[in-house]
Amino acid sequence: MARILIVEDDRLLNEGLAYALGNENYDILSAFSSEEGLIAYRGHEVHLIILDINLPDKSGMELCKEIRQISTVPILFLTAKDTEQDMIAGFESGADDYIAKPFSMAVLSQRIKAILRRGGREENPQLFSYKDLIIHYDKMKVYKHNREIKLTTTEFKLLTILSRHNKMVLTRQMILEKLWDLDGIFVDENTLSVNIKRLRNKIEDDPKQNVYIKTVFGIGYTWGSEG
């Protein structure tokens, strides 16, 4: 089920959109300011953001630019700003689509479906974000609270395997096989346990809480998820 974040300060419109899109089997998150929107985005796996420009704390365009620094998540502006100049500014800030109010719910629904279809074709995105952790797969860099975390090659490969399979429970054997496939270097179960512990110590705020890498007892590990 695709999850849509609606960032709109008009409560009636926000609730109306949530109700209509919920009836189309989308999982909906609602935020009423830029700050709430950013917190909601960082705390959940989001597949599309519907974003107003006129928000009470700061412009939706500023929020769009901020999110673009950490993510390629599709963003659709839904706003009363309807001039050509406004639309150009919206696309330049990083939006994938732009709909002016008043709007047709049927058209919005089709635009959402088209955006999600396009997003589904990206099989190997090079940037992944979850909560306050950002992974640049192509650059082999990891950031937490906007500060780079230094990982060993094995730790980064382990992080990549777990985060790229974030909807799966991976057995220890599956992880070992994937590590073997990546570089051909043998990694045994003890080495895997040591690297999991080291990785947790580096990326978790509290390694005992296991927010990012969760143990599935008797089976293996899974990437932390809000569902």
Side-chain angles (χ1 to χ4, degrees):
M1 180 185 294
R3 180 175 289 136
I4 298 175
L5 170 61
I6 303 170
V7 187
E8 166 64 67
D9 64 324
D10 183 326
R11 288 189 173 270
L12 286 177
L13 178 56
N14 196 318
E15 291 170 3
L17 287 169
Y19 178 79
L21 294 174
N23 284 338
E24 295 187 30
N25 294 320
Y26 295 113
D27 186 17
I28 305 299
L29 295 171
S30 289
F32 303 93
S33 68
S34 289
E35 182 180 1
E36 287 182 9
L38 189 58
I39 291 171
Y41 175 73
R42 285 177 168 170
H44 300 80
E45 182 183 4
V46 174
H47 304 97
L48 171 70
I49 299 174
I50 296 176
L51 180 58
D52 188 16
I53 291 177
N54 294 320
L55 295 169
D57 46 355
K58 64 181 176 183
S59 165
M61 288 193 188
E62 291 181 57
L63 177 59
C64 183
K65 291 176 182 177
E66 193 169 350
I67 290 174
R68 277 291 165 262
Q69 293 177 3
I70 61 173
S71 174
T72 58
V73 62
I75 297 174
L76 185 156
F77 275 121
L78 184 63
T79 176
K81 288 183 168 291
D82 60 356
T83 69
E84 182 178 281
Q85 205 168 19
D86 290 326
M87 292 183 182
I88 291 171
F91 285 115
E92 287 180 343
S93 71
D96 295 270
D97 206 344
Y98 194 109
I99 297 179
K101 302 172 184 174
F103 63 96
S104 161
M105 191 63 217
V107 170
L108 175 62
S109 177
Q110 291 303 313
R111 294 278 188 93
I112 289 171
K113 289 176 182 176
I115 291 173
L116 291 175
R117 281 198 302 271
R118 291 198 299 270
R121 294 193 185 106
E122 188 179 13
E123 297 177 354
N124 192 35
Q126 293 303 311
L127 186 146
F128 177 86
S129 65
Y130 179 74
K131 297 187 181 295
D132 290 317
L133 192 75
I134 303 168
I135 306 170
H136 293 265
Y137 296 121
D138 53 343
K139 299 176 183 177
M140 294 187 67
K141 291 183 178 294
V142 181
Y143 296 87
K144 178 76 180 290
H145 301 306
N146 296 319
R147 298 182 64 181
E148 186 175 357
I149 298 173
K150 297 296 184 181
L151 301 182
T152 66
T153 300
T154 300
E155 289 166 354
F156 184 82
K157 288 174 180 175
L158 185 55
L159 182 64
T160 298
I161 291 167
L162 290 165
S163 60
R164 281 199 183 278
H165 296 82
N166 61 81
K167 298 182 184 301
M168 296 175 57
V169 174
L170 299 177
T171 66
R172 293 176 65 85
Q173 187 58 39
M174 288 168 66
I175 295 172
L176 290 169
E177 290 174 358
K178 289 180 182 298
L179 284 172
W180 174 274
D181 289 341
L182 283 173
D183 54 19
I185 298 174
F186 177 73
V187 178
D188 60 21
E189 292 232 5
N190 183 60
T191 304
L192 175 60
S193 297
V194 169
N195 277 278
I196 288 283
K197 182 177 180 179
R198 288 176 177 169
L199 187 54
R200 280 174 167 160
N201 286 335
K202 291 181 179 182
I203 69 172
E204 301 280 3
D205 290 323
D206 179 358
K208 295 180 180 179
Q209 295 298 318
N210 298 338
V211 171
Y212 296 94
I213 301 173
K214 296 184 178 180
T215 299
V216 182
F217 291 101
I219 300 176
Y221 304 95
T222 187
W223 185 258
S225 174
E226 299 290 338

